[in-house]
Amino acid sequence: VGGSKRYKNSCYMDLRPGGQSSYHKAEDKCNQHKGHIVTYNTREEYLWIEQNVMTSNEWYFVGIFCSVPASVNPATFYTPSGEDMREIQKKMNTKMHPGHNVNEHSHPCALSHRNNNSWRWQWYHSHCHENRAAICESPLG
């Protein structure tokens, strides 16, 4: 895919050069490339994407959404790719920023911020209809 970069077993593409999108529109664009909005599986993967794929210092959608109402535990979140957040959380050890929990009614999507140490390893809640940047992750093969 044009503009994509390979890392281990996936290709990653920043949708930002094409403009910001809602979570669902970004996911649809990723689906067209046989992928999903990226779900970071390790800190190493996140740091590589942050330095090699993300093109703007801004909020990016994370491929996690909807949780137990008012949960602050990322292990209870879901991914569009069906990955097990309990296993991901063991490796990522992330948390919701205090006061910024994801919940199924008002803020069902999560964001990360590129190159912002005060937000690194913490997710921020967002309405899914807000326009934000996104990274697509497509498996190789």
Side-chain angles (χ1 to χ4, degrees):
V1 177
S4 64
K5 296 186 179 182
R6 290 178 168 211
Y7 177 75
K8 296 195 177 180
N9 296 319
S10 296
C11 282
Y12 300 90
M13 180 175 60
D14 190 343
L15 296 177
R16 179 68 181 103
Q20 295 179 327
S21 299
S22 70
Y23 185 94
H24 299 292
K25 285 183 182 178
E27 180 66 12
D28 286 345
K29 288 177 187 176
C30 292
N31 292 169
Q32 292 171 13
H33 296 286
K34 298 185 178 10
H36 296 282
I37 293 174
V38 67
T39 300
Y40 307 111
N41 288 279
T42 65
R43 287 181 172 216
E44 174 189 30
E45 178 190 32
Y46 175 82
L47 291 171
W48 185 87
I49 291 168
E50 182 181 70
Q51 296 307 310
N52 295 284
V53 183
M54 292 178 172
T55 58
S56 300
N57 287 335
E58 64 180 293
W59 294 105
Y60 279 79
F61 280 119
V62 178
I64 58 176
F65 62 93
C66 251
S67 68
V68 174
S71 176
V72 294
N73 180 1
T76 66
F77 299 172
Y78 300 95
T79 70
S81 58
E83 295 169 89
D84 188 339
M85 277 302 296
R86 294 168 297 186
E87 293 301 315
I88 292 171
Q89 182 56 16
K90 288 177 188 174
K91 295 180 265 181
M92 287 291 293
N93 193 30
T94 56
K95 61 184 176 181
M96 292 307 295
H97 194 273
H100 298 279
N101 47 325
V102 170
N103 65 69
E104 63 192 35
H105 299 294
S106 60
H107 299 99
C109 292
L111 300 166
S112 65
H113 198 287
R114 179 179 185 243
N115 290 337
N116 185 326
N117 286 331
S118 65
W119 282 93
R120 190 168 281 136
W121 319 129
Q122 299 184 80
W123 307 131
Y124 179 75
H125 67 85
S126 172
H127 293 284
C128 295
H129 64 272
E130 291 179 12
N131 288 327
R132 300 290 186 174
I135 301 291
C136 293
E137 177 181 14
S138 301
L140 291 173

